[in-house]
Amino acid sequence: MSMSYEPAEVNLEARTEAAAAQPGPAMQDELPPFDPPETFEFPMALRGPMPRPIPPEVRNSSDARRKRQLIWNAGFIALSALLISKLPAVTTFSAYFLPLAYLDWLALATLAVVVVLWMLHQFGWEGIRIVRDGEPLVGRVVDVDTLPVGTAEAPEFAFTVDIEFAPPGERELLRSTWRSRALGKLSDARRYAILLERGQYTTLVRTSDGLYHLYGGLGFDSTCELILVDGKPPEVIGHLKLGLRIALIMAGVGVLLTLVAMCISRSPGGSSGDLFTILVCLVVLGAVLAIPVWKKALSGTGTRSIRPILAAAGVAICLAAPPALVIANAELDKSPARLSEVEVLGFWQQTYKAVFRTYEIEVTGIPMGLKQKIAISYDAMSSFADTHVAVTEFGDGWLGMPWCRGVHPVEVRPLEPGESFSGATLPIEFTEDDGSITKASLALEARDSRGNNITLSPAAVAKIKQRMSADAPAGVRFL
C-alpha cells in the first residue's frame, strides 16, 4: 500500500520569531536507523520496467496543467491579436503606435511559437522524461523548512526538504536538499502546506544525469501531490475564465489607445511637446494618488477577492486619468472660438523610440506672423492635399488649458453655373483648345469645428491667389 500523509502546516512567522530557540540539527531527536517499511510502495507511474508508459495522472498533473495553461495563454493572445489586427481602427492607431502595423505578423509568429511549445510539451516535457526513464528509490525526510526567495520589493517563498537516501547498490547514506519552485508571496505562505514531516519515507527519482528529485514535489503526478494550497492541489484557471480575463485586458489596452489617439488632436497648447509634458505630469500625479490604493491592496487588509480589484483600480487611475483630463479639457470647453488665418508651410512627423509617432503642421500667420507647429491628427493631415491656406481654431479649455480645436483647410472648388455662394471667390479665365477664352470662378470654403462657414479676409484670399498663380498651368490666369 502507498503511504497516506497528513498536511504539515508551515508557519513562517513562528519559525522566524523562534529561530534562536530552535535546536540545531545536532540537538534534534535522533532518527532511527534508515529502514524503509516493507509496505512502502512507489507511485503507480514509476512501477514497471523502463521505458514506462505515461499514464493519465501524469498528463493531468499540476505541472502539466500549468505549462499547458501558459501555451493556451499565448495562443489565445495570438489569435485575439490576429483578429484585432483586421479592425479598421487598428489601421488608424498604427499611424501613431507603430508596432500595431505589424500586429498580424507578430500574431502569426506567436502562433508558430505556440505550436513549437505544444510539441515540446507533448514529447519533450521534463515530466515525461522523469516518469519514463527515472529510477525510483526510497528517501527519508530529515527536515522541512521554508526559504524566502525573490527580492525585497517582491518577497516570495519556497519549501526546502532535507532528505537522506541510499543510492542503488550502496549502503552509505547520502544527504540532499530539495527546493521547490517559488510558490507565491511571502505573506500568503500560511495558505500552503507540504505533506511531509521529519522521519517520513518518500519517493525519490534519479534521472540519467545523476540528479535526485523529490517525486511528489515536482507536480508531475496528480496522485501524489505533496504541495497543497488551501488544502487542495494547486489549481489552474479555466479556459473560459482565462479568455474573459485576457479579453478584458486587451479591451483595456484598446480603450487606453483610443484615449491616447483622442489626445493627439486635443493637445493643450496645440503642440505635441506640450501634450507629452502635460501627460507626464498627470501620470506622476495619478501615481502619487494611487499609491495609497496600492498599499491597501497589497497589505493584506480585506478579503482576497477585493485586493485585485483595488490594485486594478489604482492602475486604471494612473493610466486613464491623464488622457481623460486632456479629453475633458477639450470636450467640455464652451469658450468662444479664436480663429486665425495661416499659410501652410509644411508637415512634420516625429517618432519616439521607433514606437510612437506624432504629426504636426507648420504654419505662419497672415498677413504677418510667427511660424509655429501645431499638433494634428494623421487623418486631418491627409486632408491637406493642395491646400495653401488654412484657419486655426483655438479654445480656452474647460480646465483653463488652451487647445487647438482644429486646423481647417481652405478648400478650393469651381463654382457651378448659377450657383449662389456667399463666401470669397477667385475669378479666373483659361484658354480652350480652340483658342477661345472661358471665364469662371473658384469658391474658397472653410468651416469651423461646429460646421459654420468661415469668412476669409482679403489678405487670405490674396495669399491663395498668389500661391495658386505660381502653380497654375499655362493658359490659366487669375483675374
Side-chain angles (χ1 to χ4, degrees):
M1 295 178 60
S2 59
M3 300 180 65
S4 61
Y5 308 126
E6 293 296 327
E9 293 284 346
V10 179
N11 190 325
L12 276 180
E13 295 182 359
R15 284 184 174 272
T16 303
E17 294 173 358
Q22 291 282 347
M27 299 176 59
Q28 293 180 359
D29 294 337
E30 292 292 334
L31 292 174
F34 185 86
D35 185 18
E38 296 181 359
T39 57
F40 182 87
E41 292 184 351
F42 294 122
M44 289 295 297
L46 296 179
R47 301 176 190 176
M50 299 178 289
R52 307 181 188 89
I54 306 302
E57 53 266 25
V58 174
R59 294 288 187 185
N60 295 325
S61 63
S62 61
D63 187 79
R65 288 183 286 117
R66 183 170 57 251
K67 287 182 168 57
R68 282 199 300 268
Q69 191 67 77
L70 293 176
I71 298 174
W72 272 97
N73 293 358
F76 190 89
I77 292 174
L79 288 175
S80 301
L82 188 61
L83 294 175
I84 291 175
S85 67
K86 305 304 179 183
L87 298 177
V90 174
T91 303
T92 301
F93 291 146
S94 63
Y96 306 101
F97 190 64
L98 304 184
L100 286 179
Y102 309 99
L103 186 60
D104 51 349
W105 290 103
L106 292 174
L108 292 174
T110 304
L111 284 176
V113 173
V114 166
V115 172
V116 173
L117 292 177
W118 180 83
M119 294 180 65
L120 290 175
H121 175 73
Q122 288 296 110
F123 305 105
W125 173 46
E126 184 184 9
I128 294 178
R129 178 171 58 86
I130 288 180
V131 172
R132 182 186 58 199
D133 303 321
E135 181 180 1
L137 63 154
V138 181
R140 182 169 64 178
V141 177
V142 178
D143 191 24
V144 179
D145 205 347
T146 54
L147 177 69
V149 295
T151 63
E153 294 77 13
E156 296 181 312
F157 81 99
F159 285 120
T160 61
V161 181
D162 292 335
I163 306 173
E164 62 179 3
F165 58 93
E170 300 182 17
R171 297 178 60 87
E172 183 180 356
L173 293 179
L174 299 181
R175 290 280 295 269
S176 177
T177 299
W178 173 85
R179 195 186 88 172
S180 69
R181 63 179 178 84
L183 297 173
K185 295 185 296 185
L186 193 58
S187 58
D188 290 338
R190 293 176 177 176
R191 299 174 52 206
Y192 290 78
I194 185 167
L195 304 182
L196 292 175
E197 58 185 11
R198 177 176 167 81
Q200 181 175 317
Y201 289 93
T202 187
T203 300
L204 302 181
V205 176
R206 186 174 70 172
T207 53
S208 58
D209 52 10
L211 298 179
Y212 294 87
H213 305 271
L214 179 62
Y215 182 70
L218 299 174
F220 291 162
D221 192 333
S222 59
T223 63
C224 55
E225 297 272 5
L226 291 180
I227 297 177
L228 303 181
V229 184
D230 296 328
K232 298 179 294 183
E235 295 182 356
V236 178
I237 185 174
H239 298 318
L240 179 59
K241 186 181 295 186
L242 169 71
L244 290 176
R245 290 186 180 181
I246 295 179
L248 288 175
I249 292 174
M250 300 194 74
V253 172
V255 170
L256 182 61
L257 290 177
T258 302
L259 292 176
V260 172
M262 293 175 67
C263 285
I264 296 300
S265 58
R266 294 163 175 80
S267 168
S271 161
S272 293
D274 293 337
L275 172 62
F276 277 92
T277 300
I278 290 174
L279 286 181
V280 169
C281 293
L282 291 176
V283 166
V284 173
L285 177 61
V288 171
L289 294 177
I291 285 175
V293 179
W294 282 340
K295 283 186 176 180
K296 185 176 180 181
L298 300 177
S299 63
T301 59
T303 60
R304 288 195 300 272
S305 60
I306 199 65
R307 291 204 299 269
I309 298 176
L310 292 176
V315 173
I317 291 173
C318 284
L319 296 180
L325 289 177
V326 173
I327 294 172
N329 178 70
E331 294 300 320
L332 300 178
D333 181 20
K334 304 300 182 183
S335 63
R338 292 184 280 111
L339 303 176
S340 300
E341 296 167 338
V342 295
E343 179 183 3
V344 179
L345 302 180
F347 300 91
W348 296 80
Q349 62 183 25
Q350 187 171 359
T351 304
Y352 300 85
K353 303 295 184 181
V355 173
F356 198 76
R357 178 174 292 169
T358 59
Y359 303 88
E360 294 179 317
I361 181 173
E362 185 177 9
V363 298
T364 183
I366 296 176
M368 297 292 292
L370 298 176
K371 293 182 180 180
Q372 62 175 327
K373 293 179 180 178
I374 301 175
I376 192 173
S377 68
Y378 177 79
D379 292 336
M381 188 182 71
S382 303
S383 65
F384 283 80
D386 298 316
T387 301
H388 305 295
V389 172
V391 179
T392 61
E393 180 182 356
F394 279 81
D396 294 332
W398 181 61
L399 297 175
M401 297 185 294
W403 67 288
C404 181
R405 290 177 177 172
V407 182
H408 312 295
V410 176
E411 298 179 359
V412 180
R413 64 174 181 84
L415 276 176
E416 299 294 335
E419 179 183 353
S420 175
F421 183 72
S422 59
T425 60
L426 276 180
I428 63 171
E429 64 178 19
F430 53 91
T431 304
E432 301 283 2
D433 293 339
D434 57 3
S436 61
I437 296 178
T438 302
K439 294 186 177 182
S441 293
L442 299 177
L444 307 180
E445 284 186 315
R447 297 180 181 274
D448 61 17
S449 59
R450 294 180 174 86
N452 301 319
N453 289 322
I454 300 175
T455 302
L456 300 176
S457 67
V461 175
K463 178 60 69 174
I464 295 175
K465 179 179 179 180
Q466 175 189 350
R467 295 283 298 269
M468 294 189 68
S469 297
D471 299 334
V476 177
R477 294 177 297 278
F478 287 82
L479 305 178

